Amino acid sequence: MSQSTTTTLGGSPLSIASGLHGRHLTRRLVQLYVGLTLYGVSSALLVRSGLGLEPWGVLHQGLAEKTGLTIGVVSIIVGAAVLLLWIPIRQKPGLGTVSNVFVIGVAMDGTLALVPDVHGLAGQVPLLATGIVLNGVATGLYIAARFGPGPRDGLMTGLHRLTGRSIRLVRTAIEVAVVATGFALGGSVGVGTVLYALAIGPLAQYFLRWFAVPEASPRPDSGGSETPGAATRPTSVDPQVAPETPGQAILRP
């Protein structure tokens, strides 16, 4: 198989053209872009709740406060900058990686333009809960589409491969640094930040299985065995989102 069509989540070659084939391509593309859009929407809802953001959102908000740019534009700039860090650690982006940089930021700014500030816990708490759950749905959608990890997740898995340290340790170190920097710049840290950290792993795991795309089984004339119904049965163990892979481990709190 040529490098342009090889796909993995954990540090092996991956390209923007990866995965652009197969009979479920349309469904996967829809999942990818719906998921990324909903991710931006969910991040905007967390902003409007005023009860604390997800780790990278804290950094984005802090930078937005200091630069005067919108938080969505900052998200795009940070995503592009993180993507550049893939070069020295020899990570290669997929379609989902590049799309992640732009779609989430645009969807976030669009949602913030439509949803007003909310005051009082009676409105803030439901907005926070909706944002966290919707973020889990969005994560399950775009990762299950199998077009590659986002820039920030790829940085984690790339450093894991390069340093030999566990995904949990690498993720924790990066996110602690991101939250501390964002908070120092004026980003919002609160109960929502803690709830997000506790809930996003289980939610994303659940929705990954819910949105798993059925994989085509080998054709009878290809020499492989074919299980009746396998071509239409969703599987929760995909080589790119299997529970034991680094790509799946990034979802655990």
Side-chain angles (χ1 to χ4, degrees), residues 180-231:
T181 303
F183 181 70
L185 292 172
S188 176
V189 177
V191 64
T193 309
V194 176
L195 291 176
Y196 179 92
L198 294 174
I200 191 59
L203 284 171
Q205 291 276 9
Y206 173 78
F207 287 112
L208 272 167
R209 291 178 172 83
W210 185 269
F211 295 117
V213 179
E215 294 209 57
S217 53
R219 293 179 301 179
D221 59 355
S222 66
S225 60
E226 185 177 44
T227 303

mmCIF file of all heavy atoms in Angstrom, residues 180-231:
data_model
loop_
_atom_site.group_PDB
_atom_site.id
_atom_site.type_symbol
_atom_site.label_atom_id
_atom_site.label_comp_id
_atom_site.label_asym_id
_atom_site.label_seq_id
_atom_site.Cartn_x
_atom_site.Cartn_y
_atom_site.Cartn_z
ATOM 1 N N ALA A 180 -2.820 26.348 32.714
ATOM 2 C CA ALA A 180 -2.099 27.339 33.522
ATOM 3 C C ALA A 180 -1.797 28.591 32.701
ATOM 4 O O ALA A 180 -1.974 29.729 33.175
ATOM 5 C CB ALA A 180 -0.806 26.737 34.064
ATOM 6 N N THR A 181 -1.355 28.386 31.460
ATOM 7 C CA THR A 181 -1.047 29.527 30.593
ATOM 8 C C THR A 181 -2.312 30.313 30.267
ATOM 9 O O THR A 181 -2.334 31.551 30.337
ATOM 10 C CB THR A 181 -0.383 29.054 29.290
ATOM 11 O OG1 THR A 181 0.794 28.311 29.599
ATOM 12 C CG2 THR A 181 -0.020 30.232 28.404
ATOM 13 N N GLY A 182 -3.367 29.589 29.910
ATOM 14 C CA GLY A 182 -4.626 30.257 29.583
ATOM 15 C C GLY A 182 -5.199 31.017 30.761
ATOM 16 O O GLY A 182 -5.694 32.146 30.604
ATOM 17 N N PHE A 183 -5.128 30.440 31.942
ATOM 18 C CA PHE A 183 -5.651 31.103 33.144
ATOM 19 C C PHE A 183 -4.858 32.372 33.442
ATOM 20 O O PHE A 183 -5.427 33.414 33.787
ATOM 21 C CB PHE A 183 -5.585 30.152 34.341
ATOM 22 C CG PHE A 183 -6.110 30.732 35.616
ATOM 23 C CD1 PHE A 183 -7.461 30.982 35.787
ATOM 24 C CD2 PHE A 183 -5.240 31.035 36.667
ATOM 25 C CE1 PHE A 183 -7.950 31.528 36.966
ATOM 26 C CE2 PHE A 183 -5.720 31.571 37.847
ATOM 27 C CZ PHE A 183 -7.076 31.813 38.000
ATOM 28 N N ALA A 184 -3.534 32.296 33.270
ATOM 29 C CA ALA A 184 -2.684 33.465 33.503
ATOM 30 C C ALA A 184 -3.005 34.591 32.523
ATOM 31 O O ALA A 184 -2.844 35.772 32.843
ATOM 32 C CB ALA A 184 -1.212 33.076 33.391
ATOM 33 N N LEU A 185 -3.502 34.218 31.349
ATOM 34 C CA LEU A 185 -3.836 35.213 30.328
ATOM 35 C C LEU A 185 -5.271 35.746 30.462
ATOM 36 O O LEU A 185 -5.667 36.646 29.726
ATOM 37 C CB LEU A 185 -3.655 34.603 28.935
ATOM 38 C CG LEU A 185 -2.215 34.291 28.514
ATOM 39 C CD1 LEU A 185 -2.204 33.512 27.207
ATOM 40 C CD2 LEU A 185 -1.403 35.576 28.372
ATOM 41 N N GLY A 186 -6.035 35.137 31.376
ATOM 42 C CA GLY A 186 -7.399 35.605 31.587
ATOM 43 C C GLY A 186 -8.474 34.640 31.155
ATOM 44 O O GLY A 186 -9.663 34.988 31.130
ATOM 45 N N GLY A 187 -8.082 33.399 30.807
ATOM 46 C CA GLY A 187 -9.059 32.393 30.421
ATOM 47 C C GLY A 187 -9.888 31.923 31.608
ATOM 48 O O GLY A 187 -9.475 32.043 32.766
ATOM 49 N N SER A 188 -11.069 31.380 31.324
ATOM 50 C CA SER A 188 -12.017 30.990 32.368
ATOM 51 C C SER A 188 -11.802 29.544 32.821
ATOM 52 O O SER A 188 -11.945 28.602 32.043
ATOM 53 C CB SER A 188 -13.456 31.153 31.840
ATOM 54 O OG SER A 188 -14.393 30.694 32.790
ATOM 55 N N VAL A 189 -11.440 29.392 34.099
ATOM 56 C CA VAL A 189 -11.313 28.072 34.722
ATOM 57 C C VAL A 189 -12.334 28.001 35.843
ATOM 58 O O VAL A 189 -12.438 28.923 36.653
ATOM 59 C CB VAL A 189 -9.897 27.853 35.301
ATOM 60 C CG1 VAL A 189 -9.813 26.508 36.020
ATOM 61 C CG2 VAL A 189 -8.849 27.913 34.193
ATOM 62 N N GLY A 190 -13.095 26.928 35.886
ATOM 63 C CA GLY A 190 -14.113 26.817 36.918
ATOM 64 C C GLY A 190 -14.618 25.399 37.039
ATOM 65 O O GLY A 190 -13.969 24.448 36.578
ATOM 66 N N VAL A 191 -15.797 25.263 37.625
ATOM 67 C CA VAL A 191 -16.369 23.936 37.826
ATOM 68 C C VAL A 191 -16.600 23.237 36.486
ATOM 69 O O VAL A 191 -16.486 22.010 36.380
ATOM 70 C CB VAL A 191 -17.689 24.035 38.628
ATOM 71 C CG1 VAL A 191 -18.750 24.810 37.845
ATOM 72 C CG2 VAL A 191 -18.206 22.649 38.999
ATOM 73 N N GLY A 192 -16.874 24.012 35.448
ATOM 74 C CA GLY A 192 -17.073 23.425 34.134
ATOM 75 C C GLY A 192 -15.819 22.756 33.597
ATOM 76 O O GLY A 192 -15.896 21.736 32.912
ATOM 77 N N THR A 193 -14.663 23.317 33.921
ATOM 78 C CA THR A 193 -13.393 22.727 33.496
ATOM 79 C C THR A 193 -13.212 21.348 34.124
ATOM 80 O O THR A 193 -12.809 20.391 33.461
ATOM 81 C CB THR A 193 -12.223 23.645 33.895
ATOM 82 O OG1 THR A 193 -12.481 24.976 33.439
ATOM 83 C CG2 THR A 193 -10.917 23.151 33.304
ATOM 84 N N VAL A 194 -13.532 21.261 35.409
ATOM 85 C CA VAL A 194 -13.392 19.985 36.127
ATOM 86 C C VAL A 194 -14.411 18.969 35.620
ATOM 87 O O VAL A 194 -14.076 17.807 35.351
ATOM 88 C CB VAL A 194 -13.565 20.197 37.642
ATOM 89 C CG1 VAL A 194 -13.511 18.863 38.378
ATOM 90 C CG2 VAL A 194 -12.494 21.146 38.177
ATOM 91 N N LEU A 195 -15.666 19.387 35.478
ATOM 92 C CA LEU A 195 -16.705 18.476 34.994
ATOM 93 C C LEU A 195 -16.391 17.976 33.592
ATOM 94 O O LEU A 195 -16.616 16.800 33.268
ATOM 95 C CB LEU A 195 -18.067 19.163 35.020
ATOM 96 C CG LEU A 195 -18.653 19.452 36.405
ATOM 97 C CD1 LEU A 195 -19.963 20.220 36.278
ATOM 98 C CD2 LEU A 195 -18.864 18.148 37.172
ATOM 99 N N TYR A 196 -15.884 18.861 32.748
ATOM 100 C CA TYR A 196 -15.504 18.460 31.390
ATOM 101 C C TYR A 196 -14.434 17.379 31.442
ATOM 102 O O TYR A 196 -14.528 16.354 30.751
ATOM 103 C CB TYR A 196 -15.000 19.675 30.617
ATOM 104 C CG TYR A 196 -14.554 19.340 29.209
ATOM 105 C CD1 TYR A 196 -15.444 19.427 28.140
ATOM 106 C CD2 TYR A 196 -13.249 18.925 28.943
ATOM 107 C CE1 TYR A 196 -15.043 19.108 26.855
ATOM 108 C CE2 TYR A 196 -12.839 18.605 27.660
ATOM 109 C CZ TYR A 196 -13.729 18.696 26.621
ATOM 110 O OH TYR A 196 -13.336 18.369 25.346
ATOM 111 N N ALA A 197 -13.396 17.591 32.267
ATOM 112 C CA ALA A 197 -12.301 16.630 32.363
ATOM 113 C C ALA A 197 -12.794 15.256 32.823
ATOM 114 O O ALA A 197 -12.322 14.216 32.347
ATOM 115 C CB ALA A 197 -11.222 17.151 33.310
ATOM 116 N N LEU A 198 -13.750 15.242 33.734
ATOM 117 C CA LEU A 198 -14.269 13.982 34.259
ATOM 118 C C LEU A 198 -15.221 13.286 33.287
ATOM 119 O O LEU A 198 -15.270 12.056 33.228
ATOM 120 C CB LEU A 198 -14.993 14.232 35.586
ATOM 121 C CG LEU A 198 -14.128 14.699 36.766
ATOM 122 C CD1 LEU A 198 -15.014 15.035 37.960
ATOM 123 C CD2 LEU A 198 -13.108 13.627 37.135
ATOM 124 N N ALA A 199 -15.983 14.065 32.535
ATOM 125 C CA ALA A 199 -17.065 13.493 31.718
ATOM 126 C C ALA A 199 -16.681 13.174 30.287
ATOM 127 O O ALA A 199 -17.253 12.264 29.676
ATOM 128 C CB ALA A 199 -18.266 14.444 31.714
ATOM 129 N N ILE A 200 -15.719 13.899 29.710
ATOM 130 C CA ILE A 200 -15.506 13.787 28.274
ATOM 131 C C ILE A 200 -15.003 12.406 27.861
ATOM 132 O O ILE A 200 -15.369 11.895 26.797
ATOM 133 C CB ILE A 200 -14.535 14.895 27.768
ATOM 134 C CG1 ILE A 200 -14.529 14.933 26.239
ATOM 135 C CG2 ILE A 200 -13.143 14.682 28.332
ATOM 136 C CD1 ILE A 200 -15.860 15.200 25.605
ATOM 137 N N GLY A 201 -14.179 11.766 28.686
ATOM 138 C CA GLY A 201 -13.689 10.428 28.335
ATOM 139 C C GLY A 201 -14.812 9.407 28.189
ATOM 140 O O GLY A 201 -14.978 8.801 27.131
ATOM 141 N N PRO A 202 -15.620 9.195 29.248
ATOM 142 C CA PRO A 202 -16.738 8.254 29.140
ATOM 143 C C PRO A 202 -17.729 8.610 28.034
ATOM 144 O O PRO A 202 -18.219 7.732 27.325
ATOM 145 C CB PRO A 202 -17.394 8.332 30.524
ATOM 146 C CG PRO A 202 -16.294 8.761 31.437
ATOM 147 C CD PRO A 202 -15.445 9.695 30.628
ATOM 148 N N LEU A 203 -18.043 9.888 27.884
ATOM 149 C CA LEU A 203 -18.988 10.300 26.841
ATOM 150 C C LEU A 203 -18.449 9.977 25.454
ATOM 151 O O LEU A 203 -19.159 9.418 24.608
ATOM 152 C CB LEU A 203 -19.263 11.805 26.943
ATOM 153 C CG LEU A 203 -20.196 12.270 28.066
ATOM 154 C CD1 LEU A 203 -20.180 13.791 28.163
ATOM 155 C CD2 LEU A 203 -21.618 11.763 27.837
ATOM 156 N N ALA A 204 -17.191 10.333 25.201
ATOM 157 C CA ALA A 204 -16.613 10.088 23.885
ATOM 158 C C ALA A 204 -16.507 8.594 23.595
ATOM 159 O O ALA A 204 -16.766 8.147 22.475
ATOM 160 C CB ALA A 204 -15.243 10.757 23.783
ATOM 161 N N GLN A 205 -16.140 7.792 24.592
ATOM 162 C CA GLN A 205 -16.063 6.343 24.408
ATOM 163 C C GLN A 205 -17.426 5.789 23.991
ATOM 164 O O GLN A 205 -17.535 4.964 23.083
ATOM 165 C CB GLN A 205 -15.614 5.665 25.711
ATOM 166 C CG GLN A 205 -14.178 5.945 26.101
ATOM 167 C CD GLN A 205 -13.189 5.023 25.408
ATOM 168 O OE1 GLN A 205 -13.555 4.279 24.512
ATOM 169 N NE2 GLN A 205 -11.938 5.088 25.823
ATOM 170 N N TYR A 206 -18.463 6.263 24.682
ATOM 171 C CA TYR A 206 -19.816 5.791 24.371
ATOM 172 C C TYR A 206 -20.207 6.153 22.956
ATOM 173 O O TYR A 206 -20.705 5.313 22.196
ATOM 174 C CB TYR A 206 -20.811 6.389 25.368
ATOM 175 C CG TYR A 206 -22.256 6.086 25.034
ATOM 176 C CD1 TYR A 206 -22.808 4.840 25.324
ATOM 177 C CD2 TYR A 206 -23.061 7.037 24.409
ATOM 178 C CE1 TYR A 206 -24.128 4.546 25.006
ATOM 179 C CE2 TYR A 206 -24.371 6.753 24.089
ATOM 180 C CZ TYR A 206 -24.903 5.515 24.386
ATOM 181 O OH TYR A 206 -26.199 5.225 24.061
ATOM 182 N N PHE A 207 -20.006 7.407 22.568
ATOM 183 C CA PHE A 207 -20.450 7.850 21.244
ATOM 184 C C PHE A 207 -19.550 7.336 20.120
ATOM 185 O O PHE A 207 -19.995 7.246 18.976
ATOM 186 C CB PHE A 207 -20.568 9.373 21.213
ATOM 187 C CG PHE A 207 -21.754 9.883 21.981
ATOM 188 C CD1 PHE A 207 -21.585 10.605 23.161
ATOM 189 C CD2 PHE A 207 -23.052 9.614 21.553
ATOM 190 C CE1 PHE A 207 -22.678 11.060 23.874
ATOM 191 C CE2 PHE A 207 -24.149 10.056 22.266
ATOM 192 C CZ PHE A 207 -23.969 10.779 23.424
ATOM 193 N N LEU A 208 -18.302 7.002 20.417
ATOM 194 C CA LEU A 208 -17.464 6.342 19.416
ATOM 195 C C LEU A 208 -18.098 5.029 18.970
ATOM 196 O O LEU A 208 -18.135 4.699 17.787
ATOM 197 C CB LEU A 208 -16.065 6.080 19.976
ATOM 198 C CG LEU A 208 -15.041 7.193 19.822
ATOM 199 C CD1 LEU A 208 -13.819 6.907 20.690
ATOM 200 C CD2 LEU A 208 -14.619 7.313 18.365
ATOM 201 N N ARG A 209 -18.597 4.260 19.934
ATOM 202 C CA ARG A 209 -19.256 2.998 19.598
ATOM 203 C C ARG A 209 -20.595 3.246 18.898
ATOM 204 O O ARG A 209 -20.973 2.523 17.982
ATOM 205 C CB ARG A 209 -19.450 2.168 20.864
ATOM 206 C CG ARG A 209 -18.140 1.655 21.448
ATOM 207 C CD ARG A 209 -18.344 0.880 22.743
ATOM 208 N NE ARG A 209 -17.116 0.239 23.171
ATOM 209 C CZ ARG A 209 -16.152 0.838 23.856
ATOM 210 N NH1 ARG A 209 -16.289 2.107 24.200
ATOM 211 N NH2 ARG A 209 -15.061 0.180 24.196
ATOM 212 N N TRP A 210 -21.298 4.280 19.320
ATOM 213 C CA TRP A 210 -22.597 4.603 18.739
ATOM 214 C C TRP A 210 -22.469 4.969 17.266
ATOM 215 O O TRP A 210 -23.301 4.594 16.443
ATOM 216 C CB TRP A 210 -23.223 5.751 19.530
ATOM 217 C CG TRP A 210 -24.618 6.102 19.096
ATOM 218 C CD1 TRP A 210 -24.983 7.012 18.155
ATOM 219 C CD2 TRP A 210 -25.841 5.534 19.577
ATOM 220 N NE1 TRP A 210 -26.345 7.067 18.023
ATOM 221 C CE2 TRP A 210 -26.902 6.165 18.883
ATOM 222 C CE3 TRP A 210 -26.133 4.561 20.539
ATOM 223 C CZ2 TRP A 210 -28.227 5.845 19.124
ATOM 224 C CZ3 TRP A 210 -27.456 4.261 20.766
ATOM 225 C CH2 TRP A 210 -28.492 4.891 20.067
ATOM 226 N N PHE A 211 -21.420 5.716 16.927
ATOM 227 C CA PHE A 211 -21.252 6.211 15.558
ATOM 228 C C PHE A 211 -20.232 5.418 14.741
ATOM 229 O O PHE A 211 -19.833 5.866 13.668
ATOM 230 C CB PHE A 211 -20.830 7.687 15.589
ATOM 231 C CG PHE A 211 -21.868 8.603 16.163
ATOM 232 C CD1 PHE A 211 -21.619 9.330 17.320
ATOM 233 C CD2 PHE A 211 -23.111 8.743 15.546
ATOM 234 C CE1 PHE A 211 -22.579 10.176 17.860
ATOM 235 C CE2 PHE A 211 -24.079 9.589 16.078
ATOM 236 C CZ PHE A 211 -23.814 10.305 17.235
ATOM 237 N N ALA A 212 -19.822 4.253 15.238
ATOM 238 C CA ALA A 212 -18.845 3.445 14.503
ATOM 239 C C ALA A 212 -19.351 3.137 13.089
ATOM 240 O O ALA A 212 -20.504 2.751 12.899
ATOM 241 C CB ALA A 212 -18.589 2.133 15.248
ATOM 242 N N VAL A 213 -18.493 3.348 12.107
ATOM 243 C CA VAL A 213 -18.858 3.103 10.715
ATOM 244 C C VAL A 213 -18.576 1.641 10.378
ATOM 245 O O VAL A 213 -17.485 1.159 10.629
ATOM 246 C CB VAL A 213 -18.052 4.015 9.768
ATOM 247 C CG1 VAL A 213 -18.413 3.740 8.315
ATOM 248 C CG2 VAL A 213 -18.300 5.477 10.107
ATOM 249 N N PRO A 214 -19.561 0.925 9.805
ATOM 250 C CA PRO A 214 -19.325 -0.477 9.433
ATOM 251 C C PRO A 214 -18.153 -0.584 8.465
ATOM 252 O O PRO A 214 -18.009 0.228 7.554
ATOM 253 C CB PRO A 214 -20.635 -0.891 8.748
ATOM 254 C CG PRO A 214 -21.648 0.092 9.223
ATOM 255 C CD PRO A 214 -20.912 1.376 9.445
ATOM 256 N N GLU A 215 -17.327 -1.595 8.681
ATOM 257 C CA GLU A 215 -16.193 -1.794 7.795
ATOM 258 C C GLU A 215 -16.508 -2.905 6.813
ATOM 259 O O GLU A 215 -17.115 -3.918 7.166
ATOM 260 C CB GLU A 215 -14.956 -2.154 8.606
ATOM 261 C CG GLU A 215 -14.509 -1.001 9.481
ATOM 262 C CD GLU A 215 -13.032 -1.036 9.701
ATOM 263 O OE1 GLU A 215 -12.287 -1.019 8.712
ATOM 264 O OE2 GLU A 215 -12.641 -1.096 10.868
ATOM 265 N N ALA A 216 -16.088 -2.731 5.566
ATOM 266 C CA ALA A 216 -16.317 -3.751 4.550
ATOM 267 C C ALA A 216 -15.517 -4.994 4.875
ATOM 268 O O ALA A 216 -14.343 -4.930 5.210
ATOM 269 C CB ALA A 216 -15.922 -3.218 3.183
ATOM 270 N N SER A 217 -16.159 -6.160 4.784
ATOM 271 C CA SER A 217 -15.452 -7.412 5.004
ATOM 272 C C SER A 217 -14.813 -7.868 3.703
ATOM 273 O O SER A 217 -15.181 -7.419 2.616
ATOM 274 C CB SER A 217 -16.430 -8.471 5.511
ATOM 275 O OG SER A 217 -17.532 -8.556 4.649
ATOM 276 N N PRO A 218 -13.815 -8.780 3.789
ATOM 277 C CA PRO A 218 -13.137 -9.228 2.573
ATOM 278 C C PRO A 218 -14.089 -9.872 1.580
ATOM 279 O O PRO A 218 -15.035 -10.558 1.966
ATOM 280 C CB PRO A 218 -12.131 -10.257 3.108
ATOM 281 C CG PRO A 218 -11.951 -9.913 4.548
ATOM 282 C CD PRO A 218 -13.273 -9.394 4.999
ATOM 283 N N ARG A 219 -13.864 -9.629 0.289
ATOM 284 C CA ARG A 219 -14.670 -10.266 -0.746
ATOM 285 C C ARG A 219 -14.345 -11.754 -0.796
ATOM 286 O O ARG A 219 -13.214 -12.169 -0.553
ATOM 287 C CB ARG A 219 -14.380 -9.629 -2.104
ATOM 288 C CG ARG A 219 -14.849 -8.194 -2.200
ATOM 289 C CD ARG A 219 -14.512 -7.614 -3.543
ATOM 290 N NE ARG A 219 -13.067 -7.646 -3.782
ATOM 291 C CZ ARG A 219 -12.500 -7.208 -4.900
ATOM 292 N NH1 ARG A 219 -13.245 -6.740 -5.891
ATOM 293 N NH2 ARG A 219 -11.188 -7.253 -5.042
ATOM 294 N N PRO A 220 -15.329 -12.598 -1.153
ATOM 295 C CA PRO A 220 -15.101 -14.035 -1.196
ATOM 296 C C PRO A 220 -13.935 -14.425 -2.101
ATOM 297 O O PRO A 220 -13.254 -15.407 -1.851
ATOM 298 C CB PRO A 220 -16.436 -14.591 -1.733
ATOM 299 C CG PRO A 220 -17.447 -13.554 -1.347
ATOM 300 C CD PRO A 220 -16.731 -12.240 -1.433
ATOM 301 N N ASP A 221 -13.680 -13.639 -3.163
ATOM 302 C CA ASP A 221 -12.627 -14.022 -4.092
ATOM 303 C C ASP A 221 -11.274 -13.423 -3.717
ATOM 304 O O ASP A 221 -10.310 -13.519 -4.452
ATOM 305 C CB ASP A 221 -12.975 -13.582 -5.526
ATOM 306 C CG ASP A 221 -13.178 -12.068 -5.633
ATOM 307 O OD1 ASP A 221 -13.140 -11.394 -4.579
ATOM 308 O OD2 ASP A 221 -13.366 -11.586 -6.768
ATOM 309 N N SER A 222 -11.198 -12.790 -2.537
ATOM 310 C CA SER A 222 -9.941 -12.160 -2.146
ATOM 311 C C SER A 222 -9.101 -13.064 -1.272
ATOM 312 O O SER A 222 -8.015 -12.697 -0.847
ATOM 313 C CB SER A 222 -10.220 -10.860 -1.374
ATOM 314 O OG SER A 222 -10.853 -11.157 -0.139
ATOM 315 N N GLY A 223 -9.611 -14.262 -0.974
ATOM 316 C CA GLY A 223 -8.855 -15.201 -0.175
ATOM 317 C C GLY A 223 -9.133 -15.080 1.309
ATOM 318 O O GLY A 223 -8.646 -15.863 2.094
ATOM 319 N N GLY A 224 -9.896 -14.062 1.731
ATOM 320 C CA GLY A 224 -10.218 -13.886 3.139
ATOM 321 C C GLY A 224 -11.567 -14.491 3.444
ATOM 322 O O GLY A 224 -12.395 -14.685 2.571
ATOM 323 N N SER A 225 -11.782 -14.823 4.721
ATOM 324 C CA SER A 225 -13.067 -15.382 5.117
ATOM 325 C C SER A 225 -14.040 -14.250 5.344
ATOM 326 O O SER A 225 -13.675 -13.182 5.827
ATOM 327 C CB SER A 225 -12.897 -16.202 6.409
ATOM 328 O OG SER A 225 -12.410 -15.387 7.436
ATOM 329 N N GLU A 226 -15.275 -14.498 5.016
ATOM 330 C CA GLU A 226 -16.302 -13.476 5.168
ATOM 331 C C GLU A 226 -17.387 -13.982 6.087
ATOM 332 O O GLU A 226 -17.936 -15.058 5.884
ATOM 333 C CB GLU A 226 -16.896 -13.097 3.812
ATOM 334 C CG GLU A 226 -17.886 -11.950 3.901
ATOM 335 C CD GLU A 226 -18.404 -11.550 2.537
ATOM 336 O OE1 GLU A 226 -18.722 -12.479 1.757
ATOM 337 O OE2 GLU A 226 -18.481 -10.361 2.231
ATOM 338 N N THR A 227 -17.650 -13.210 7.130
ATOM 339 C CA THR A 227 -18.713 -13.571 8.044
ATOM 340 C C THR A 227 -20.017 -12.971 7.565
ATOM 341 O O THR A 227 -20.067 -11.780 7.288
ATOM 342 C CB THR A 227 -18.401 -13.021 9.463
ATOM 343 O OG1 THR A 227 -17.144 -13.524 9.880
ATOM 344 C CG2 THR A 227 -19.480 -13.425 10.448
ATOM 345 N N PRO A 228 -21.089 -13.786 7.453
ATOM 346 C CA PRO A 228 -22.353 -13.246 6.970
ATOM 347 C C PRO A 228 -22.771 -12.042 7.797
ATOM 348 O O PRO A 228 -22.773 -12.071 9.014
ATOM 349 C CB PRO A 228 -23.329 -14.427 7.169
ATOM 350 C CG PRO A 228 -22.457 -15.642 7.125
ATOM 351 C CD PRO A 228 -21.159 -15.228 7.726
ATOM 352 N N GLY A 229 -23.100 -10.956 7.085
ATOM 353 C CA GLY A 229 -23.580 -9.755 7.751
ATOM 354 C C GLY A 229 -22.489 -8.842 8.236
ATOM 355 O O GLY A 229 -22.757 -7.764 8.759
ATOM 356 N N ALA A 230 -21.201 -9.267 8.094
ATOM 357 C CA ALA A 230 -20.106 -8.459 8.632
ATOM 358 C C ALA A 230 -19.985 -7.135 7.918
ATOM 359 O O ALA A 230 -19.544 -6.141 8.488
ATOM 360 C CB ALA A 230 -18.790 -9.219 8.528
ATOM 361 N N ALA A 231 -20.365 -7.097 6.624
ATOM 362 C CA ALA A 231 -20.200 -5.859 5.852
ATOM 363 C C ALA A 231 -21.138 -4.766 6.319
ATOM 364 O O ALA A 231 -20.897 -3.601 6.077
ATOM 365 C CB ALA A 231 -20.438 -6.146 4.372
#
